[in-house]
Amino acid sequence: EPEVTQTPSHQVTQMGQEVILRCVPISNHLYFYWYRQILGQKVEFLVSFYNNEISEKSEIFDDQFSVERPDGSNFTLKIRSTKLEDSAMYFCASTETGTGNTEAFFGQGTRLTVV
Amino acid sequence: GDSVTQMEGPVTLSEEAFLTINCTYTATGYPSLFWYVQYPGEGLQLLLKATKADDKGSNKGFEATYRKETTSFHLEKGSVQVSDSAVYFCALRGDNAGNMLTFGGGTRLMVKP
């Protein structure tokens, strides 16, 4: 069964450093997403991406964050200067279409720890 | 804006017990509703969904009915198994919110033999 894969599974970084979280969406999917879950809190939407541009973003997704599809398979989330409060589980997801009832497929997540 | 509220966990049950995890939502229009499950060490997996009022989603013995009058989408299972131990997330996608999912806080279920 096709799946979304994320690397690394766990990343530890020092405050102020840049990190790049990587995702490989399902190959025929066209819409890509990042969500995050701070420990003990809700899963929160960060950004959606379609046709090589951001289609929607939340207020969490400020100038410290950026997304990119550098090639035909990878989808990345970059945090330019990490803060302690960026520590969270980051989930990548993809959908085949943009309709409201389409199933979103999620990766296993990357646990980011900022120290 | 849209929001989802779930009962807090953990919920601890014995095997073969009846499960209910409550979920209520706030949204305008006619959202689609989902239950996702996260098994230990794995990602979020879609468990079931319902896209309009009175629809019942079902999968693996789990059921949830889209109740617009009570804005609820409670998850039920008649007889839980140890293998059902996981975290369950209720979520919605608004009918004018693109593809963004709004999640509840998650409910951890622990089933003891």
Side-chain angles (χ1 to χ4, degrees), chain A residues 13-96:
Chain A
T13 189
Q14 287 197 330
M15 190 169 52
Q17 294 297 304
E18 175 184 284
V19 294
I20 298 176
L21 309 183
R22 302 182 190 279
C23 169
V24 179
I26 294 173
S27 60
N28 65 331
H29 285 189
L30 301 177
Y31 296 77
F32 316 117
Y33 314 84
W34 284 100
Y35 290 81
R36 79 171 186 190
Q37 184 182 29
I38 296 172
L39 187 63
Q41 298 185 25
K42 294 186 175 187
V43 177
E44 302 170 292
F45 169 77
L46 292 179
V47 65
S48 59
F49 191 86
Y50 169 70
N51 199 26
N52 281 320
E53 60 183 28
I54 292 173
S55 51
E56 198 168 4
K57 62 181 181 179
S58 71
E59 57 188 26
I60 302 169
F61 194 86
D62 62 21
D63 292 343
Q64 293 295 317
F65 292 90
S66 63
V67 289
E68 190 179 26
R69 189 155 164 83
D71 52 43
S73 59
N74 289 284
F75 178 53
T76 62
L77 174 69
K78 181 191 292 185
I79 308 175
R80 289 190 181 81
S81 178
T82 50
K83 303 186 285 286
L84 294 177
E85 54 265 38
D86 294 328
S87 296
M89 180 74 88
Y90 289 81
F91 292 105
C92 174
S94 67
T95 59
E96 186 175 0

Side-chain angles (χ1 to χ4, degrees), chain A residues 33 35 42 98-102 107, chain B residues 4 43 49 51 93 97 99 101:
Chain A
Y33 314 84
Y35 290 81
K42 294 186 175 187
T99 57
N101 60 2
T102 190
Chain B
V4 177
K49 69 179 183 183
T51 58
R93 181 179 291 121
N99 281 305
L101 285 164

